[in-house]
Amino acid sequence: LLPFGATITDDMLDEVEEALYEADLGVHASEFLVEKLRDRAGEINSGKTDPYTVMKESILSIIDHAKEKGTPTEKSRPYIILVVGVNGVGKTTTIGKLALRYKNEGSSVLLAACDTFRAAAVDQLEIWAKRANAEFIKAQEGADPASVAYDAIMRAKARSTDVVIIDTAGRLHTSRNLMEELKKIRRVLGKSDESAPHETLLVLDATTGQNALTQADVFNRDLNISGIVLTKLDGTAKGGIVISIIDKLKIPIKLIGIGEGVDDLRDFDPESFTEALFA
Amino acid sequence: ELTDKLEAVFKSIRGHGKLTEQNIKHALRDIRRALLEADVNFKVAKHFIESVQDKALGTEVFESITPGQLIVKIVHDELIKLLGEKDVRLQIKGSPEIFMVCGLQGSGKTTTIAKLAHYFRKNGRNPMVSSVDVYRPAAIDQLRVLARNNKITFFECDSDDPVSIAAKAIEAINTNDADVLLIDTAGRLHIDNAMMEELSKVRNILNPHHVLFVADGMTGQDAVNAVEGFIDFIDFDGVILTKLDSDTRGGAALSIRHVTGKPILFVGTGERIEALDVFYPDRYASRILG
Ligand SMILES: Nc1nc2c(ncn2[C@@H]2O[C@H](COP(=O)(O)OP(=O)(O)OP(=O)(O)O)[C@@H](O)[C@H]2O)c(=O)[nH]1
Ligand SMILES: Nc1nc2c(ncn2[C@@H]2O[C@H](COP(=O)(O)OP(=O)(O)OP(=O)(O)O)[C@@H](O)[C@H]2O)c(=O)[nH]1
Ligand SMILES: [Mg+2]
Ligand SMILES: [Mg+2]
């Protein structure tokens, strides 16, 4: 798309802008990157660099400025991971994949079914726990999510479990009540261990457009997100909106979901992600 | 707010005058930006702006309305026209009537099937639901629980083959005295050929009166890719857009409509069984413009 030796022309910049929009980078990031090309038009036209390299460097530099948040160098036990996000993005599936990953590293894992709301949510997580050979805990009849979270930590402490992953119900960031419910779960975790949760992962769907930035902003304000999981990158969506999320909120992308199987989880790789944006 | 932005742009041409290519250039750029920020696909936005420009050029600006207001009115009218002028309702196509729902992973199909069944039941019909999602953990349990909680007939089948479940569901219509059958399918990618082939086989067995594409209202530019893929493989005749209780601008609606020409029939506005609204183009146009 951006061949070496291409000269900066208005037509060429239009094509670049379209490619950026198509990857869901959004107006702000796309305009920023096109400006970068204009600024360095001299170097590009004289062959000192090329459009692709300029864009890639700008994007990698943005990604580089994400802060490493919330992961204590001293690993606590149990290491508590709270997983949140809007409806249908892939939280429960991601937890199943993550559980297997930790099991393969030799850690013991407990999955806590704190989605006490949605039909068959608990059954769904239980099947994932079996697939990953992880422990599983669910609510007593009628219990609320926060008390299940508390029970999970108590059980993990009693059994010296290494990792606890907490599944929560999907919820819109626009629902004040549901966001308060999440804050309550977080407070309860903090009571059992003041450094908990050690990770608060926000799961985002790569097919989501500009609303992903709003989601990240609100979830971060309410819960202090330590990392993002970007799912469904095995589809045709590029998830370019995360560039703006990293730029504005400095939250790192930690993991990506590339399918529905238990092995379809990868560490976020800035280089391959950036190259895929232009593919 | 788009109207205020455009007002500022047009301060200089109040009163008499015509809308010319020059004086609306900035306005069109602002509108294009607003559409892109609303997740309208950039190609669709481009075509849309061209049609607005065609309508706007040469239009007289009268004292009673400012140029900014005039442009916004043209944009608003064009949006409504593109989204579907008259509210298209679901046409009843005889009894028993068969619906098949499809779409990408997590878009809201299972929940929407339950909502549709509830909607039909409230309208005096006797719906039966069935799931051919043999892949997602507890997918069939999910639909069974939703059906049971809302007094909807659920077709039980212990086969793990989507095509035979579909065939058996059709046979069960009469035994259950149902006049509507709704089939839930697994979420799948338009680029997964094996899964799209399966969907095609299920469709052939069902020979449904309606195939509804359920899309997440927060979808960005990829909306166009997904619908093109599904149209090519199995065709569908209506769209349901979900999660519009969020603050997403929902520009995917415009993209989907522009690319496929299929009507948007309903919008999902929450997780409750009643949270299914008829789609109103004029209300939606205001939403997209922010
Ligand atoms: N193709 C693909 N599908 C995925 C990926 N991650 C999750 N899914 C699918 O997305 C759908 C939703 O996944 P869930 O794990 O139920 O999502 P969730 O966020 O827990 O949903 P709620 O709890 O209802 O809010 C399922 O069909 C998953 O198989 C991914 O990386 N790629
Ligand atoms: N807020 C809101 N949530 C919705 C709406 N429709 C569905 N959901 C939620 O979105 C999530 C996914 O819904 P599902 O019905 O499981 O989606 P699906 O398309 O069947 O998912 P797969 O079968 O995995 O492809 C669930 O948490 C639903 O409760 C809606 O209109 N608004
Ligand atoms: Mg879940
Ligand atoms: Mg489903």
Side-chain angles (χ1 to χ4, degrees):
Chain A
L1 167 68
L2 300 171
F4 200 100
T7 356
I8 298 297
T9 62
D10 277 341
D11 282 347
M12 185 265 205
L13 287 180
D14 280 349
E15 272 186 50
V16 168
E17 194 182 32
E18 294 196 348
L20 295 174
Y21 281 130
E22 206 171 11
D24 271 317
L25 262 81
V27 175
H28 176 79
S30 303
E31 290 184 344
F32 168 79
L33 289 169
V34 169
E35 264 326 286
K36 273 274 177 287
L37 287 180
R38 277 191 215 279
D39 291 347
R40 301 183 60 181
E43 294 171 66
I44 294 169
N45 293 341
S46 64
K48 288 204 185 73
T49 181
D50 66 284
Y52 180 59
T53 303
V54 170
M55 307 264 274
K56 199 168 157 209
E57 284 173 358
S58 310
I59 292 174
L60 288 176
S61 144
I62 290 173
I63 294 177
D64 217 30
H65 281 94
K67 300 204 193 82
E68 192 55 34
K69 291 207 274 167
T71 319
T73 47
E74 185 76 33
K75 200 168 179 209
S76 315
R77 197 216 267 159
Y79 189 74
I80 301 168
I81 304 173
L82 178 63
V83 178
V84 302
V86 305
N87 308 73
V89 294
K91 299 178 290 301
T92 306
T93 307
T94 297
I95 290 171
K97 298 171 181 176
L98 206 48
L100 182 67
R101 191 184 251 226
Y102 278 115
K103 290 294 292 185
N104 288 343
E105 290 172 1
S107 299
S108 53
V109 179
L110 170 64
L111 301 186
C114 294
D115 178 354
T116 56
F117 169 74
R118 206 208 69 208
V122 172
D123 302 309
Q124 183 186 8
L125 186 68
E126 188 161 19
I127 292 171
W128 279 108
K130 291 203 176 81
R131 285 181 180 177
N133 202 13
E135 306 276 331
F136 177 74
I137 185 170
K138 63 182 177 187
Q140 305 298 329
E141 189 63 45
D144 69 299
S147 54
V148 183
Y150 182 79
D151 290 346
I153 306 309
M154 291 299 111
R155 179 179 298 191
K157 285 187 169 166
R159 300 182 184 181
S160 302
T161 309
D162 298 311
V163 182
V164 176
I165 313 179
I166 304 191
D167 191 13
T168 61
R171 71 203 63 220
L172 297 181
H173 48 292
T174 45
S175 164
R176 251 317 87 202
N177 293 343
L178 293 181
M179 293 307 288
E180 283 305 315
E181 178 187 86
L182 266 189
K183 286 160 86 173
K184 180 172 177 209
I185 294 175
R186 189 163 191 266
R187 275 197 303 276
V188 163
L189 295 175
K191 285 213 175 76
S192 66
D193 170 348
E194 56 182 32
S195 59
H198 305 103
E199 287 268 18
T200 302
L201 295 179
L202 173 65
V203 181
L204 296 175
D205 185 331
T207 65
T208 303
Q210 303 302 297
N211 196 253
L213 180 55
T214 316
Q215 292 172 26
D217 190 26
V218 176
F219 273 91
N220 187 45
R221 229 182 36 213
D222 285 349
L223 305 170
N224 197 10
I225 301 294
S226 63
I228 285 170
V229 180
L230 185 62
T231 63
K232 308 181 194 172
L233 277 175
D234 46 317
T236 48
K238 301 283 175 72
I241 188 68
V242 300
I243 305 297
S244 293
I245 293 175
I246 299 172
D247 190 33
K248 298 209 165 101
L249 304 175
K250 305 291 184 263
I251 304 170
I253 312 297
K254 297 204 165 174
L255 300 161
I256 61 171
I258 55 162
E260 303 186 73
V262 75
D263 293 313
D264 294 330
L265 188 71
R266 299 283 180 279
D267 289 335
F268 177 69
D269 173 6
E271 285 267 348
S272 42
F273 177 78
T274 304
E275 284 169 8
L277 286 178
F278 299 113
Chain B
E1 160 71 65
L2 186 62
T3 322
D4 301 332
K5 270 207 209 111
L6 295 180
E7 286 301 330
V9 169
F10 282 112
K11 260 194 165 47
S12 54
I13 60 166
R14 283 193 75 96
H16 297 297
K18 279 205 171 79
L19 292 180
T20 68
E21 203 166 312
Q22 187 52 37
N23 66 26
I24 65 174
K25 195 161 119 204
H26 283 219
L28 291 183
R29 206 183 54 209
D30 279 346
I31 293 164
R32 190 182 92 121
R33 247 171 157 264
L35 293 176
L36 289 170
E37 284 168 348
D39 285 324
V40 175
N41 180 272
F42 73 93
K43 286 199 191 85
V44 174
K46 206 174 189 181
H47 286 206
F48 182 80
I49 294 300
E50 284 166 1
S51 60
V52 167
Q53 177 163 337
D54 289 344
K55 286 267 150 22
L57 287 185
T59 307
E60 292 280 350
V61 186
F62 297 104
E63 284 294 348
S64 56
I65 183 173
T66 68
Q69 287 169 338
L70 180 56
I71 285 276
V72 171
K73 172 148 183 11
I74 292 172
V75 171
H76 204 252
D77 292 349
E78 280 303 296
L79 273 178
I80 293 174
K81 200 154 138 220
L82 184 49
L83 289 170
E85 300 208 53
K86 286 209 319 300
D87 317 327
V88 178
R89 299 300 161 97
L90 205 55
Q91 301 296 333
I92 296 189
K93 293 190 185 168
S95 172
E97 199 170 356
I98 301 175
F99 286 78
M100 182 178 95
V101 133
C102 63
L104 299 180
Q105 291 89 346
S107 64
K109 298 174 292 300
T110 305
T111 312
T112 300
I113 282 259
K115 291 177 182 179
L116 277 172
H118 174 78
Y119 173 82
F120 287 132
R121 208 166 66 80
K122 290 248 310 296
N123 288 343
R125 306 188 65 182
N126 189 20
M128 181 170 79
V129 300
S130 168
S131 170
V132 300
D133 184 352
V134 300
Y135 305 99
R136 170 175 155 152
I140 299 183
D141 295 319
Q142 184 186 2
L143 186 59
R144 182 187 295 113
V145 169
L146 286 173
R148 186 182 60 216
N149 291 351
N150 295 286
K151 303 196 172 58
I152 296 164
T153 311
F154 177 80
F155 172 63
E156 287 290 353
C157 182
D158 59 8
S159 162
D160 63 359
D161 168 40
V163 173
S164 27
I165 297 173
K168 294 197 171 90
I170 293 184
E171 293 170 2
I173 293 175
N174 291 328
T175 28
N176 283 290
D177 215 10
D179 63 352
V180 190
L181 171 65
L182 302 117
I183 303 285
D184 187 18
T185 65
R188 68 201 67 216
L189 295 176
H190 46 293
I191 53 172
D192 183 337
N193 282 334
M195 286 300 278
M196 293 306 288
E197 284 292 347
E198 174 194 275
L199 192 62
S200 197
K201 290 202 181 85
V202 170
R203 189 212 165 110
N204 290 340
I205 272 285
L206 290 173
N207 195 15
H209 302 86
H210 311 269
V211 177
L212 301 179
F213 185 77
V214 177
D216 191 320
M218 317 181 281
T219 309
Q221 302 287 308
D222 195 56
V224 164
N225 300 326
V227 294
E228 282 179 340
F230 273 77
I231 284 274
D232 286 346
F233 245 102
I234 63 147
D235 202 8
F236 52 83
D237 34 63
V239 177
I240 298 182
L241 225 46
T242 64
K243 307 178 198 172
L244 286 174
D245 40 324
S246 72
D247 56 356
T248 186
R249 298 267 290 280
L254 199 71
S255 310
I256 292 174
R257 184 86 181 123
H258 178 93
V259 161
T260 67
K262 306 295 181 185
I264 298 170
L265 297 168
F266 295 100
V267 292
T269 56
E271 298 189 78
R272 290 175 14 259
I273 201 75
E274 304 91 356
L276 187 71
D277 296 348
V278 165
F279 176 74
Y280 292 109
D282 53 350
R283 286 187 212 167
Y284 206 88
S286 310
R287 175 189 192 118
I288 289 184
L289 284 180

